[in-house]
PDB file of all heavy atoms in Angstrom:
ATOM      1  N   GLY Z 129     -70.973  17.389 -22.727  1.00  0.00           N
ATOM      2  CA  GLY Z 129     -70.058  18.488 -22.497  1.00  0.00           C
ATOM      3  C   GLY Z 129     -70.837  19.742 -22.169  1.00  0.00           C
ATOM      4  O   GLY Z 129     -71.985  19.904 -22.598  1.00  0.00           O
ATOM      5  N   ILE Z 130     -70.233  20.631 -21.421  1.00  0.00           N
ATOM      6  CA  ILE Z 130     -70.913  21.859 -21.012  1.00  0.00           C
ATOM      7  C   ILE Z 130     -70.768  22.911 -22.099  1.00  0.00           C
ATOM      8  O   ILE Z 130     -69.664  23.249 -22.513  1.00  0.00           O
ATOM      9  CB  ILE Z 130     -70.340  22.379 -19.685  1.00  0.00           C
ATOM     10  CG1 ILE Z 130     -70.563  21.339 -18.583  1.00  0.00           C
ATOM     11  CG2 ILE Z 130     -70.983  23.704 -19.307  1.00  0.00           C
ATOM     12  CD1 ILE Z 130     -69.923  21.701 -17.267  1.00  0.00           C
ATOM     13  N   GLY Z 131     -71.890  23.407 -22.571  1.00  0.00           N
ATOM     14  CA  GLY Z 131     -71.884  24.446 -23.603  1.00  0.00           C
ATOM     15  C   GLY Z 131     -73.260  24.571 -24.224  1.00  0.00           C
ATOM     16  O   GLY Z 131     -74.035  23.608 -24.239  1.00  0.00           O
ATOM     17  N   SER Z 132     -73.555  25.745 -24.737  1.00  0.00           N
ATOM     18  CA  SER Z 132     -74.833  25.964 -25.403  1.00  0.00           C
ATOM     19  C   SER Z 132     -74.755  25.670 -26.892  1.00  0.00           C
ATOM     20  O   SER Z 132     -75.777  25.593 -27.564  1.00  0.00           O
ATOM     21  CB  SER Z 132     -75.302  27.411 -25.188  1.00  0.00           C
ATOM     22  OG  SER Z 132     -74.351  28.330 -25.726  1.00  0.00           O
ATOM     23  N   GLU Z 133     -73.520  25.502 -27.407  1.00  0.00           N
ATOM     24  CA  GLU Z 133     -73.373  25.210 -28.825  1.00  0.00           C
ATOM     25  C   GLU Z 133     -72.165  24.304 -29.038  1.00  0.00           C
ATOM     26  O   GLU Z 133     -71.198  24.312 -28.275  1.00  0.00           O
ATOM     27  CB  GLU Z 133     -73.212  26.498 -29.634  1.00  0.00           C
ATOM     28  CG  GLU Z 133     -72.018  27.337 -29.242  1.00  0.00           C
ATOM     29  CD  GLU Z 133     -71.987  28.692 -29.927  1.00  0.00           C
ATOM     30  OE1 GLU Z 133     -73.057  29.172 -30.340  1.00  0.00           O
ATOM     31  OE2 GLU Z 133     -70.896  29.268 -30.040  1.00  0.00           O
ATOM     32  N   LEU Z 134     -72.275  23.508 -30.090  1.00  0.00           N
ATOM     33  CA  LEU Z 134     -71.173  22.629 -30.494  1.00  0.00           C
ATOM     34  C   LEU Z 134     -70.316  23.406 -31.480  1.00  0.00           C
ATOM     35  O   LEU Z 134     -70.661  23.561 -32.642  1.00  0.00           O
ATOM     36  CB  LEU Z 134     -71.742  21.362 -31.116  1.00  0.00           C
ATOM     37  CG  LEU Z 134     -70.760  20.272 -31.536  1.00  0.00           C
ATOM     38  CD1 LEU Z 134     -69.923  19.799 -30.353  1.00  0.00           C
ATOM     39  CD2 LEU Z 134     -71.500  19.108 -32.167  1.00  0.00           C
ATOM     40  N   ASP Z 135     -69.189  23.912 -31.011  1.00  0.00           N
ATOM     41  CA  ASP Z 135     -68.400  24.832 -31.824  1.00  0.00           C
ATOM     42  C   ASP Z 135     -67.525  24.122 -32.846  1.00  0.00           C
ATOM     43  O   ASP Z 135     -67.379  24.590 -33.971  1.00  0.00           O
ATOM     44  CB  ASP Z 135     -67.519  25.693 -30.915  1.00  0.00           C
ATOM     45  CG  ASP Z 135     -66.637  26.643 -31.709  1.00  0.00           C
ATOM     46  OD1 ASP Z 135     -67.193  27.589 -32.298  1.00  0.00           O
ATOM     47  OD2 ASP Z 135     -65.403  26.429 -31.760  1.00  0.00           O
ATOM     48  N   TYR Z 136     -66.935  22.994 -32.463  1.00  0.00           N
ATOM     49  CA  TYR Z 136     -65.903  22.401 -33.331  1.00  0.00           C
ATOM     50  C   TYR Z 136     -65.890  20.894 -33.161  1.00  0.00           C
ATOM     51  O   TYR Z 136     -65.957  20.375 -32.045  1.00  0.00           O
ATOM     52  CB  TYR Z 136     -64.531  22.974 -32.953  1.00  0.00           C
ATOM     53  CG  TYR Z 136     -63.400  22.583 -33.875  1.00  0.00           C
ATOM     54  CD1 TYR Z 136     -63.117  23.317 -35.006  1.00  0.00           C
ATOM     55  CD2 TYR Z 136     -62.603  21.472 -33.595  1.00  0.00           C
ATOM     56  CE1 TYR Z 136     -62.066  22.959 -35.852  1.00  0.00           C
ATOM     57  CE2 TYR Z 136     -61.556  21.110 -34.429  1.00  0.00           C
ATOM     58  CZ  TYR Z 136     -61.292  21.853 -35.553  1.00  0.00           C
ATOM     59  OH  TYR Z 136     -60.258  21.502 -36.384  1.00  0.00           O
ATOM     60  N   VAL Z 137     -65.797  20.187 -34.284  1.00  0.00           N
ATOM     61  CA  VAL Z 137     -65.625  18.725 -34.265  1.00  0.00           C
ATOM     62  C   VAL Z 137     -64.666  18.346 -35.390  1.00  0.00           C
ATOM     63  O   VAL Z 137     -64.818  18.800 -36.533  1.00  0.00           O
ATOM     64  CB  VAL Z 137     -66.958  17.980 -34.442  1.00  0.00           C
ATOM     65  CG1 VAL Z 137     -66.702  16.487 -34.688  1.00  0.00           C
ATOM     66  CG2 VAL Z 137     -67.839  18.148 -33.218  1.00  0.00           C
ATOM     67  N   ARG Z 138     -63.697  17.534 -35.049  1.00  0.00           N
ATOM     68  CA  ARG Z 138     -62.777  17.028 -36.071  1.00  0.00           C
ATOM     69  C   ARG Z 138     -62.237  15.679 -35.622  1.00  0.00           C
ATOM     70  O   ARG Z 138     -62.018  15.447 -34.429  1.00  0.00           O
ATOM     71  CB  ARG Z 138     -61.630  18.015 -36.299  1.00  0.00           C
ATOM     72  CG  ARG Z 138     -60.724  17.627 -37.479  1.00  0.00           C
ATOM     73  CD  ARG Z 138     -59.613  18.619 -37.658  1.00  0.00           C
ATOM     74  NE  ARG Z 138     -58.758  18.259 -38.786  1.00  0.00           N
ATOM     75  CZ  ARG Z 138     -58.691  18.928 -39.920  1.00  0.00           C
ATOM     76  NH1 ARG Z 138     -59.443  19.997 -40.091  1.00  0.00           N
ATOM     77  NH2 ARG Z 138     -57.870  18.552 -40.873  1.00  0.00           N
ATOM     78  N   PHE Z 139     -62.008  14.793 -36.574  1.00  0.00           N
ATOM     79  CA  PHE Z 139     -61.390  13.500 -36.318  1.00  0.00           C
ATOM     80  C   PHE Z 139     -60.037  13.494 -37.029  1.00  0.00           C
ATOM     81  O   PHE Z 139     -59.977  13.595 -38.249  1.00  0.00           O
ATOM     82  CB  PHE Z 139     -62.271  12.365 -36.830  1.00  0.00           C
ATOM     83  CG  PHE Z 139     -63.625  12.315 -36.180  1.00  0.00           C
ATOM     84  CD1 PHE Z 139     -64.689  13.033 -36.704  1.00  0.00           C
ATOM     85  CD2 PHE Z 139     -63.834  11.555 -35.037  1.00  0.00           C
ATOM     86  CE1 PHE Z 139     -65.929  12.994 -36.108  1.00  0.00           C
ATOM     87  CE2 PHE Z 139     -65.077  11.508 -34.435  1.00  0.00           C
ATOM     88  CZ  PHE Z 139     -66.132  12.233 -34.969  1.00  0.00           C
ATOM     89  N   SER Z 140     -58.950  13.376 -36.261  1.00  0.00           N
ATOM     90  CA  SER Z 140     -57.623  13.480 -36.858  1.00  0.00           C
ATOM     91  C   SER Z 140     -56.622  12.758 -35.974  1.00  0.00           C
ATOM     92  O   SER Z 140     -56.735  12.770 -34.742  1.00  0.00           O
ATOM     93  CB  SER Z 140     -57.237  14.963 -37.006  1.00  0.00           C
ATOM     94  OG  SER Z 140     -56.067  15.121 -37.754  1.00  0.00           O
ATOM     95  N   ASP Z 141     -55.635  12.119 -36.591  1.00  0.00           N
ATOM     96  CA  ASP Z 141     -54.590  11.426 -35.852  1.00  0.00           C
ATOM     97  C   ASP Z 141     -53.626  12.450 -35.275  1.00  0.00           C
ATOM     98  O   ASP Z 141     -52.730  12.935 -35.963  1.00  0.00           O
ATOM     99  CB  ASP Z 141     -53.864  10.446 -36.771  1.00  0.00           C
ATOM    100  CG  ASP Z 141     -52.689   9.752 -36.086  1.00  0.00           C
ATOM    101  OD1 ASP Z 141     -52.628   9.802 -34.837  1.00  0.00           O
ATOM    102  OD2 ASP Z 141     -51.849   9.182 -36.801  1.00  0.00           O
ATOM    103  N   MET Z 142     -53.785  12.768 -33.997  1.00  0.00           N
ATOM    104  CA  MET Z 142     -52.971  13.796 -33.364  1.00  0.00           C
ATOM    105  C   MET Z 142     -51.748  13.214 -32.649  1.00  0.00           C
ATOM    106  O   MET Z 142     -50.880  13.962 -32.207  1.00  0.00           O
ATOM    107  CB  MET Z 142     -53.810  14.587 -32.347  1.00  0.00           C
ATOM    108  CG  MET Z 142     -55.055  15.233 -32.921  1.00  0.00           C
ATOM    109  SD  MET Z 142     -54.727  16.326 -34.336  1.00  0.00           S
ATOM    110  CE  MET Z 142     -53.538  17.462 -33.647  1.00  0.00           C
ATOM    111  N   THR Z 143     -51.670  11.895 -32.507  1.00  0.00           N
ATOM    112  CA  THR Z 143     -50.566  11.287 -31.750  1.00  0.00           C
ATOM    113  C   THR Z 143     -49.592  10.516 -32.619  1.00  0.00           C
ATOM    114  O   THR Z 143     -48.549  10.062 -32.134  1.00  0.00           O
ATOM    115  CB  THR Z 143     -51.128  10.335 -30.675  1.00  0.00           C
ATOM    116  OG1 THR Z 143     -51.882   9.299 -31.312  1.00  0.00           O
ATOM    117  CG2 THR Z 143     -52.021  11.088 -29.695  1.00  0.00           C
ATOM    118  N   GLY Z 144     -49.936  10.309 -33.890  1.00  0.00           N
ATOM    119  CA  GLY Z 144     -49.039   9.598 -34.788  1.00  0.00           C
ATOM    120  C   GLY Z 144     -49.158   8.099 -34.724  1.00  0.00           C
ATOM    121  O   GLY Z 144     -48.268   7.392 -35.237  1.00  0.00           O
ATOM    122  N   ASP Z 145     -50.246   7.576 -34.134  1.00  0.00           N
ATOM    123  CA  ASP Z 145     -50.412   6.123 -34.060  1.00  0.00           C
ATOM    124  C   ASP Z 145     -51.316   5.594 -35.162  1.00  0.00           C
ATOM    125  O   ASP Z 145     -51.724   4.428 -35.133  1.00  0.00           O
ATOM    126  CB  ASP Z 145     -50.963   5.717 -32.691  1.00  0.00           C
ATOM    127  CG  ASP Z 145     -52.341   6.301 -32.406  1.00  0.00           C
ATOM    128  OD1 ASP Z 145     -52.853   7.075 -33.258  1.00  0.00           O
ATOM    129  OD2 ASP Z 145     -52.912   6.011 -31.343  1.00  0.00           O
TER     130      ASP Z 145
END
Side-chain angles (χ1 to χ4, degrees):
I130 299 175
S132 60
E133 60 188 24
L134 183 58
D135 178 70
Y136 187 87
V137 169
R138 187 180 181 111
F139 299 89
S140 189
D141 176 16
M142 303 305 304
T143 60
D145 62 357

